[in-house]
Amino acid sequence: MVLAEDVHKSFGSLEVLRGVDLAVRPGEVCCVLGPSGSGKSTFLRCINHLEKIDAGRIWVDGELIGYRQRGDKLYELREKEVAAQRRSIGMVFQRFNLFPHMTVLENVVEAPVRVRRENRSVARERAEALLARVGLADKLATYPGQLSGGQQQRVAIARALAMEPKLMLFDEPTSALDPELVGEVLDVMKDLARDGMTMVVVTHEIGFAREVGDSLIFMDGGVVVESGAPREVIANPQHERTRAFLAKVL
């Protein structure tokens, strides 16, 4: 579902990604761990071309993201073409980015109607089902400002799912939440994993990675330091840098 080969990304003279490789099978949950500044979030944003890569290739479901290849040369796609690719890739950020002037239901309905030109009643029916799925069936007419952080993040997940994505990207979805609200968001993500959604999750939630993840990569300094089965990497890290990081977070 996701294949990244030798991905490089710099911001000016700062080299953030220095040759990242990743392969994620359909239905797999891949968890990405690493310290701040290791390139995790930048890499996630490269998967849906929110950040343009400087070198390498990224494919999602067999489709080259952000570029068209002719011979040995890459040509960047037009923004309209990139937007079409992004429709099948859901993304949930640290911050919820909900429209404050819209109700919970309107937030979830908006993209399918505006972007996919979906019939509003069809989009509304799916939105209501999704909000029930994330435990917010009683909050349809509520505005984001009236919700807790955990509830807002669950709306953000429902909004991403409303576009019926084939891949979900999560960028530290619980890092902005109070500790007691983390569980309700992780429960929704666990439910998605059980239903076979392909997910790449940047997280510091070691328990989630151990319990739900099918694969785990540990990044530091813009490279993948270690990868493998989550329980194996967490219980018996092979690299000294991985051991030092886990010793601080476990």
Side-chain angles (χ1 to χ4, degrees), residues 46-65:
C46 288
I47 293 176
N48 64 359
H49 207 62
L50 283 175
E51 297 290 355
K52 299 174 185 178
I53 62 177
D54 298 323
R57 306 276 193 281
I58 298 175
W59 292 266
V60 172
D61 200 21
E63 185 176 12
L64 185 62
I65 296 297

Side-chain angles (χ1 to χ4, degrees), residues 5-219:
E5 291 183 349
D6 197 27
V7 173
H8 289 254
K9 173 66 182 176
S10 295
F11 295 100
S13 61
L14 179 64
E15 199 176 8
V16 179
L17 300 176
R18 300 188 292 125
V20 175
D21 296 304
L22 178 73
V24 181
R25 298 184 306 273
E28 184 177 328
V29 178
C30 174
C31 294
V32 185
L33 302 181
S36 296
S38 60
K40 310 182 302 294
S41 293
T42 297
F43 177 61
L44 203 69
R45 291 169 65 86
C46 288
I47 293 176
N48 64 359
H49 207 62
L50 283 175
E51 297 290 355
K52 299 174 185 178
I53 62 177
D54 298 323
R57 306 276 193 281
I58 298 175
W59 292 266
V60 172
D61 200 21
E63 185 176 12
L64 185 62
I65 296 297
Y67 300 92
R68 182 179 292 107
Q69 185 162 350
R70 290 186 189 144
D72 292 335
K73 288 195 172 181
L74 288 182
Y75 298 88
E76 189 164 1
L77 298 178
R78 296 190 303 257
E79 184 55 40
K80 189 175 181 181
E81 295 172 297
V82 174
Q85 291 183 328
R86 284 196 194 115
R87 288 175 200 168
S88 61
I89 305 172
M91 187 158 186
V92 178
F93 300 88
Q94 296 178 32
R95 296 289 171 181
F96 326 118
N97 300 320
L98 299 176
F99 297 116
H101 62 290
M102 292 183 177
T103 65
V104 163
L105 183 62
E106 289 165 346
N107 263 279
V108 179
V109 166
E110 183 71 5
V113 170
R114 285 287 182 95
V115 178
R116 290 174 51 169
R117 301 284 186 261
E118 204 167 89
N119 177 280
R120 185 169 286 276
S121 63
V122 172
R124 181 188 173 98
E125 193 174 321
R126 187 189 308 116
E128 289 178 354
L130 286 169
L131 287 165
R133 180 179 180 180
V134 300
L136 295 171
D138 60 336
K139 302 291 185 183
L140 304 187
T142 306
Y143 287 89
Q146 299 169 298
L147 300 176
S148 70
Q151 289 171 326
Q152 290 187 62
Q153 193 63 294
R154 284 187 278 152
V155 175
I157 293 172
R159 181 178 61 180
L161 292 172
M163 291 293 283
E164 300 186 308
K166 60 181 78 168
L167 168 68
M168 285 286 284
L169 308 175
F170 291 87
D171 187 7
E172 299 193 30
T174 59
S175 65
L177 301 179
D178 291 334
E180 66 267 25
L181 302 178
V182 168
E184 62 191 53
V185 174
L186 293 181
D187 284 344
V188 172
M189 294 169 65
K190 289 174 187 175
D191 184 53
L192 284 180
R194 279 192 292 269
D195 280 358
M197 174 62 75
T198 309
M199 297 157 62
V200 181
V201 184
V202 172
T203 184
H204 289 302
E205 299 294 337
I206 305 296
F208 175 85
R210 186 193 289 116
E211 180 186 344
V212 182
D214 298 297
S215 62
L216 182 150
I217 67 171
F218 173 73
M219 289 182 64

